[in-house]
Amino acid sequence: DQQVKQNSPSLSVQEGRISILNCDYTNSMFDYFLWYKKYPAEGPTFLISISSIKDKNEDGRFTVFLNKSAKHLSLHIVPSQPGDSAVYFCAASKPGGGADGLTFGKGTHLIIQP
Amino acid sequence: KAGVTQTPRYLIKTRGQQVTLSCSPISGHRSVSWYQQTPGQGLQFLFEYFSETQRNKGNFPGRFSGRQFSNSRSEMNVSTLELGDSALYLCASSFSGLRDEQFFGPGTRLTVL
């Protein structure tokens, strides 16, 4: 049973516009969330994180929003740039980690069109 | 500073064999975690080591094991390989653990024939 879901396998956005990547989770014990970006033939790279005590966290062009009641988070990239084309993974963790450790979604492939 | 390195980068084994993968974390990082990436299952957590102790373990069979040395370098071992173990194995390191910014290596591509 997938506890972290990224329902859009791919997303195409025009350069300069906003990219919105979505992630849903089912386990209410998750209290910390992270986004990673992955280019082909490279390991994932950390982007931004958010704790469940907050509903928003910003870092430059990247903003993550957390809606705990809906068990939903989203990553906004504004403005989108060609270098943002990559696979984006949402990840979640519970206090103490445990067997789930860090639970990843299956990723969304973001394509930035010139 | 040097990034996370993983050796070997590619490996071909046959069913029933065992394999050991190695990970050298970023200097100063004490947490090393391992992940299996497959097209069907995505990225799945295997285990995390911190200061030579396994701190978290994912839902993988006992054929998957690991260890961490005093210099924080880590090894992962898979015994009695199965076809389904073919995957990209990623290692990541951080200062404090899974909630910290993890730095991933490029991975080891394991193919089981």
Side-chain angles (χ1 to χ4, degrees):
Chain A
D1 180 36
Q2 242 187 307
Q3 298 188 74
V4 177
K5 298 179 186 178
Q6 294 178 256
N7 291 318
S8 300
S10 68
L11 176 67
S12 185
V13 174
Q14 205 164 14
E15 182 180 355
R17 307 291 288 264
I18 182 171
S19 294
I20 300 176
L21 297 101
N22 294 305
C23 178
D24 296 296
Y25 60 97
T26 57
N27 193 331
S28 57
M29 296 295 292
F30 288 141
D31 71 338
Y32 199 81
F33 305 89
L34 308 95
W35 284 93
Y36 281 84
K37 175 171 81 171
K38 186 179 187 300
Y39 294 119
E42 294 182 13
T45 304
F46 171 79
L47 270 176
I48 193 168
S49 61
I50 188 166
S51 163
S52 61
I53 63 172
K54 301 172 88 171
D55 54 19
K56 176 182 171 181
N57 190 25
E58 277 182 87
D59 184 0
R61 296 187 299 116
F62 302 92
T63 303
V64 56
F65 296 91
L66 175 62
N67 182 333
K68 289 184 289 294
S69 60
K71 293 192 180 69
H72 175 85
L73 62 156
S74 60
L75 174 69
H76 292 213
I77 306 173
V78 184
S80 301
Q81 298 174 355
D84 296 331
S85 294
V87 178
Y88 289 77
F89 292 96
C90 164
S93 76
K94 298 184 291 190
D100 293 318
L102 202 57
T103 304
F104 283 84
K106 292 195 176 182
T108 297
H109 186 193
L110 176 64
I111 301 160
I112 304 301
Q113 307 272 11
Chain B
K1 55 184 174 183
V4 177
T5 57
Q6 291 187 245
T7 55
R9 292 293 311 278
Y10 302 91
L11 208 46
I12 299 174
K13 292 284 188 180
T14 55
R15 277 180 299 173
Q17 286 187 308
Q18 77 162 17
V19 67
T20 299
L21 312 181
S22 181
C23 172
S24 293
I26 289 172
S27 178
H29 286 188
R30 295 164 69 188
S31 168
V32 174
S33 54
W34 289 88
Y35 303 85
Q36 181 195 66
Q37 185 177 21
T38 59
Q41 298 298 319
L43 264 167
Q44 291 187 282
F45 171 75
L46 279 157
F47 28 66
E48 183 215 0
Y49 286 86
F50 186 87
S51 293
E52 301 178 67
T53 301
Q54 186 180 84
R55 197 156 64 170
N56 293 289
K57 186 178 190 307
N59 293 317
F60 277 79
R63 301 185 295 108
F64 291 82
S65 63
R67 58 179 177 168
Q68 186 180 31
F69 302 94
S70 58
N71 62 357
S72 291
R73 190 177 70 84
S74 177
E75 286 181 349
M76 189 192 96
N77 185 76
V78 188
S79 62
T80 321
L81 283 166
E82 300 177 0
L83 295 179
D85 297 334
S86 294
L88 180 68
Y89 290 88
L90 291 160
C91 158
S93 76
S94 70
F95 282 113
S96 61
L98 300 178
R99 296 182 178 218
D100 192 8
E101 176 180 357
Q102 293 191 77
F103 293 82
F104 282 80
T108 294
R109 171 73 61 185
L110 172 66
T111 302
V112 182
L113 302 176

